[in-house]
Amino acid sequence: MARGIDSALDTALTGSVVRPFFALKAEFAGGNALFWSGVGSKVIDSETYEGAGDIIAFAPQTETAELEANGVNVTINGIDSSLISTALTDEYQGRSITIKLGCLNEAQAVIATYTLFKGLMDTMTISDDGNLSNISLQCENILIGMNRNKVRRYTSQEQDSLFSGDKGFNFVESLQDKTIRWGR
């Protein structure tokens, strides 16, 4: 069994008939965009996803032995032009996006899901021909935060911004040039 895949999904993926699907959850400021690669509505992990058929495409996901922050490119083709205004005006940069792989049973019910990618939306490219539009969304892995500097200071002001009323660093500045005599 592959790492992180539960036994229900492992059984479904190794069965004689496999009914896989992909699900996309993009958490915009104005609300979540929930799509899955089928037709109609589908409840996945207690959220209702709208069927997008084969209009969703993902760039190949790569994995290496090194600790790297590999991103993914999500493309949604054939979107009605009326929905583009939401994509243009809503805050999306730095917001969460999740891509899942799942399997359905014979009754088209969700057996199990596995998170393929969890990251942050970065840049969006929109192309529009007047009737239908395409959105390409470049996403960063959540590990990208490891490359950013986290600047913290051991000052009273910094500590107070984190924990209001904390007096733990009030005397740090006065200790910088203080002479301390040990053993006398």
Side-chain angles (χ1 to χ4, degrees):
M1 181 168 32
R3 129 190 77 141
I5 295 179
D6 65 4
S7 61
L9 186 58
D10 186 48
T11 302
L13 290 172
T14 57
S16 59
V17 178
V18 180
R19 296 174 187 88
F21 68 88
F22 291 101
L24 171 72
K25 178 180 182 179
E27 300 177 27
F28 290 95
N32 296 341
L34 305 167
F35 297 109
W36 77 288
S37 60
V39 178
S41 297
K42 183 71 64 186
V43 176
I44 302 169
D45 297 332
S46 72
E47 294 181 300
T48 303
Y49 287 69
E50 294 302 319
D54 59 355
I55 68 170
I56 300 174
F58 309 106
Q61 187 66 12
T62 58
E63 186 172 302
T64 61
E66 291 80 33
L67 185 61
E68 293 181 331
N70 296 322
V72 67
N73 191 15
V74 177
T75 305
I76 305 173
N77 300 309
I79 297 174
D80 188 89
S81 293
S82 64
L83 299 175
I84 291 300
S85 64
T86 303
L88 289 171
T89 59
D90 211 347
E91 294 292 325
Y92 67 90
Q93 280 191 320
R95 311 237 0 141
S96 294
I97 188 164
T98 305
I99 301 171
K100 295 182 179 189
L101 166 71
C103 281
L104 303 172
N105 62 15
E106 296 82 20
Q108 300 299 308
V110 177
I111 297 172
T113 60
Y114 174 74
T115 301
L116 289 175
F117 178 83
K118 184 155 180 78
L120 305 172
M121 293 182 268
D122 186 25
T123 58
M124 184 184 302
T125 306
I126 300 172
S127 62
D128 189 358
D129 69 0
N131 295 324
L132 296 175
S133 303
N134 301 327
I135 295 177
S136 180
L137 189 59
Q138 186 65 35
C139 306
E140 297 176 331
N141 191 301
I142 56 176
L143 290 176
I144 199 74
M146 292 175 56
N147 292 337
R148 295 189 181 115
N149 293 334
K150 295 187 177 37
V151 179
R152 296 284 185 211
R153 306 279 187 240
Y154 293 113
T155 64
S156 181
Q157 294 83 8
E158 180 77 19
Q159 186 68 8
D160 195 49
S161 70
L162 296 172
F163 306 100
S164 182
D166 191 343
K167 307 287 186 206
F169 288 108
N170 278 1
F171 302 104
V172 170
E173 291 177 24
S174 66
L175 291 175
Q176 287 180 349
D177 297 321
K178 189 166 191 116
T179 303
I180 300 175
R181 301 175 75 184
W182 292 95
R184 291 188 183 203

